[in-house]
Amino acid sequence: VQLQASGGGLVQAGGSLRVSCAASGRTFSSYALGWFRQAPGKEREFVAAISRGGGFTYLADSVKGRFTISRDNAKNTVYLEMNSLRPEDTAVYYCAAGRLASMTRDDYTSWGQGTLVTVSS
């Protein structure tokens, strides 16, 4: 599956933003999906994951209560809704597809190109 992330941009602290990831192919619903992010000079870290049917979601502790992951299998798209954004959320956000909704990067076999989210203070 090929993934294309979009929706990043510049937002003030406390604001909201939704990033999307569109997938090609007819097997989208057979993949679990995840979002990871990488800030300058830091390792890529887990943000959120969602199971194939969307019934299970997982969020990193740092974003719980602020971010929501969802998917629309009819549109082959996964979303990350981000609220109450903080400057430390600034990063390139990557979507990924794999067999399991996992917090581990190695469990994902396909990655999108990333979209930059910048939160100003």
Side-chain angles (χ1 to χ4, degrees), residues 59-75:
L59 294 168
D61 288 343
S62 59
V63 306
K64 280 180 182 176
R66 302 188 298 123
F67 290 13
T68 303
I69 185 171
S70 62
R71 66 189 293 165
D72 186 337
N73 285 347
K75 295 182 178 180

Side-chain angles (χ1 to χ4, degrees), residues 11-14 66 84-91 117-121:
V11 62
Q12 289 188 332
R66 302 188 298 123
S84 302
L85 282 161
R86 306 167 180 168
E88 54 264 39
D89 295 318
T90 294
V117 173
T118 303
V119 184
S120 63
S121 57

Side-chain angles (χ1 to χ4, degrees), residues 80-102:
L80 185 68
E81 183 78 34
M82 303 181 287
N83 299 309
S84 302
L85 282 161
R86 306 167 180 168
E88 54 264 39
D89 295 318
T90 294
V92 176
Y93 284 72
Y94 297 89
C95 55
R99 292 183 60 251
L100 298 173
S102 168

Side-chain angles (χ1 to χ4, degrees), residues 17-29:
L17 197 66
R18 186 177 78 166
V19 291
S20 303
C21 180
S24 63
R26 295 178 292 177
T27 59
F28 180 77
S29 61

